[in-house]
Amino acid sequence: GNLAVLYRRTGHEKEAENLLRYAVGLGGSSDVALHELHRLLRDQGRAGEAAGVQRQLEARQSADPYYWMSRALQSIADREPHRAISALNRAKDLAPTFSEIHRYLATAYLQAGNPQKAREEIAQMEHLGGPLNKVALLRRKLDLVDRPAQ
């Protein structure tokens, strides 16, 4: 991927494309080569080929729990907890034993005003061996929700 970017910067588009296609053909878990190949084809106005690469990229992303977690974290930051919950449930379907998914679900449920669901996710996180300091922090946040300011 990096060498292909250098080839592109120096005007060696054909070499960059060949290198990217080779990297994509090797497989692997990184989507960098697919991203760069998509960008190259799009920049060259080769929309049909770019669309095919985009479909490959989307298929890989939809099967990647970290992709869904990333989307969820952005949704939490944007104060869109329902969108985050949806993305995290996709991640949970793909990787049900990832304790961090339950941590972020608890956070999203808190943000959405659903402390009961947050409690369930914290319990699941703890059951899966999630970091005790994160469990304790989330429980303190829940305690604040349960005891409104007086």
Side-chain angles (χ1 to χ4, degrees), residues 11-128:
H12 296 92
E13 298 281 315
K14 185 64 178 164
E15 292 84 355
E17 182 177 346
N18 289 338
L19 190 58
L20 289 168
R21 289 190 184 279
Y22 178 74
V24 168
L26 289 176
S29 60
S30 174
D31 294 334
V32 173
L34 272 173
H35 277 288
E36 287 302 320
L37 182 58
H38 177 262
R39 182 178 295 145
L40 180 142
L41 294 170
R42 188 192 63 217
D43 290 351
Q44 291 179 349
R46 296 160 63 186
E49 290 174 87
V53 172
Q54 180 66 31
R55 282 190 297 278
Q56 282 181 282
L57 198 50
E58 288 169 356
R60 286 182 63 134
Q61 289 172 335
S62 70
D64 180 0
Y66 292 105
Y67 169 77
W68 294 108
M69 288 170 58
S70 172
R71 291 196 48 185
L73 290 174
Q74 185 59 55
S75 294
I76 289 170
D78 293 342
R79 311 275 315 150
E80 296 178 347
H82 297 290
R83 181 174 271 163
I85 291 165
S86 177
L88 287 163
N89 281 322
R90 294 277 309 261
K92 187 166 70 170
D93 289 343
L94 295 168
T97 60
F98 282 15
S99 66
E100 62 267 30
I101 293 172
H102 299 281
R103 172 181 156 204
Y104 299 133
L105 268 167
T107 301
Y109 281 124
L110 272 171
Q111 197 178 77
N114 190 338
Q116 181 55 41
K117 290 293 265 181
R119 268 188 207 82
E120 292 170 15
E121 293 301 333
I122 293 168
Q124 187 67 21
M125 176 186 164
E126 186 174 32
H127 175 74
L128 291 170

Side-chain angles (χ1 to χ4, degrees), residues 123-141:
Q124 187 67 21
M125 176 186 164
E126 186 174 32
H127 175 74
L128 291 170
L132 294 179
N133 64 328
K134 302 294 184 190
V135 170
L137 176 66
L138 286 168
R139 285 203 169 120
R140 282 194 301 275
K141 285 183 179 181

